[in-house]
Amino acid sequence: LRRGLCRRVGRSATSAALAILAVLSAACGPTSQEVVVPEPTSATVSLSAAPTATVQPLLQGPTPTFGSRLVPLTASGALPSLSDLVDKVKPAVASIAVEALTRGIFFEFTDEGAGSGIVVRSDGYIVTNNHVVANVDQIKVTLPSGKTYDARVIGRDALTDLAVIKVEDEGLATVTFGNSNDIRVGDWVLALGNAVSLKGGPTVTLGIVSARGRTATTELGTLYDMIQTDAAINAGNSGGPLVNLAGEVIGINTAMLRQA
């Protein structure tokens, strides 16, 4: 398992996402690259890098404050189960499978890939990373409900590594966006996504915000103003949400530091 980096998002990001969705829906034209932007002001990414150990909360003493959220401890002084939080977010986390046709001199080859996405509008709009859906011929989206859809690209932005895709359905569960400007180093976060394409719904990992404002150079270019987290992120997590303890999306899992 690897720790990772996530793109920051905010309430402004939420507006950005909805604004982008509206603009992209009208234009239906690709623009650029990876980052989840659900409202019109900010977008952020979080990076995850090396293997993480088993998390054993050992907090003792008074109830701690995490950002603006108050999290009660159990009688033993440990953090409570996060299962209710996961149940709140998970229905809106999509698994994305893509195929791209590569034409050789004598043969054609099909390349397959996988990523994650988050449902931002109940009528089927899903935000993911641009690098998940760039230059592909087929996109399949599977939701935790078990439903599978063909998806089409509404718009892409290479600079922010953001893309919006669309499936045809109504009444889908959606995520709630928080504000990544409010997070502090040391805040607890959860990463959800289609890690290593495991069947049966999204994988959930727990960690903290390790740093803010990171710059990382990848094969896709340089990513700026990233959130670093030690929540384990693996191939397939790209495009999935990084959430706070209120169940609000505050980042988009984007890249991992394999050598860390």
Side-chain angles (χ1 to χ4, degrees):
L1 295 176
R2 305 287 182 179
R3 295 187 178 89
L5 294 166
C6 306
R7 185 121 203 116
R8 298 175 51 209
V9 300
R11 284 196 174 74
S12 47
T14 308
S15 309
L18 295 179
I20 285 174
L21 291 175
V23 173
L24 294 181
S25 298
C28 292
T31 352
S32 141
Q33 190 179 341
E34 163 188 347
V35 164
V36 171
V37 178
E39 278 201 41
T41 343
S42 68
T44 307
V45 174
S46 153
L47 300 172
S48 88
T52 55
T54 303
V55 175
Q56 294 180 312
L58 299 175
L59 298 177
Q60 300 289 339
T63 300
T65 299
F66 297 93
S68 61
R69 305 295 171 183
L70 206 58
V71 181
L73 298 180
T74 63
S76 63
L79 282 173
S81 171
L82 300 175
S83 56
D84 288 342
L85 186 160
V86 172
D87 288 343
K88 173 184 175 181
V89 178
K90 187 169 69 173
V93 180
S95 296
I96 299 175
V98 299
E99 290 186 0
L101 189 64
T102 302
R103 292 175 174 81
I105 298 176
F106 301 107
F107 303 100
E108 293 183 346
F109 305 91
T110 299
D111 295 323
E112 298 180 344
S116 305
I118 53 177
V119 182
V120 295
R121 268 182 31 181
S122 60
D123 55 349
Y125 285 89
I126 297 171
V127 171
T128 185
N129 285 146
N130 176 64
H131 73 254
V132 172
V133 297
N135 304 315
V136 301
D137 298 298
Q138 185 180 69
I139 305 172
K140 291 280 189 182
V141 170
T142 302
L143 295 178
S145 64
K147 290 185 176 181
T148 298
Y149 309 85
D150 290 318
R152 58 190 174 89
V153 174
I154 298 298
R156 301 189 292 114
D157 181 67
L159 180 63
T160 56
D161 197 12
L162 168 70
V164 178
I165 61 177
K166 175 76 165 65
V167 300
E168 298 305 320
D169 204 350
E170 299 285 342
L172 300 179
T174 60
V175 295
T176 300
F177 282 89
N179 192 334
S180 55
N181 290 328
D182 294 338
I183 66 170
R184 301 170 60 193
V185 173
D187 281 352
W188 290 100
V189 288
L190 281 80
L192 292 86
N194 183 26
V196 295
S197 302
L198 294 173
K199 302 297 182 183
T203 294
V204 182
T205 54
L206 173 69
I208 63 169
V209 174
S210 303
R212 295 181 55 180
R214 292 293 197 207
T215 297
T217 300
T218 73
E219 64 271 20
L220 301 174
T222 301
L223 301 170
Y224 299 95
D225 197 20
M226 305 286 284
I227 300 167
Q228 182 181 349
T229 176
D230 66 350
I233 294 176
N234 294 270
N237 270 115
S238 289
L242 186 75
V243 303
N244 60 21
L245 292 187
E248 300 168 333
V249 176
I250 50 85
I252 303 301
N253 302 318
T254 300
M256 61 183 176
L257 303 177
R258 295 179 183 274
Q259 74 277 19

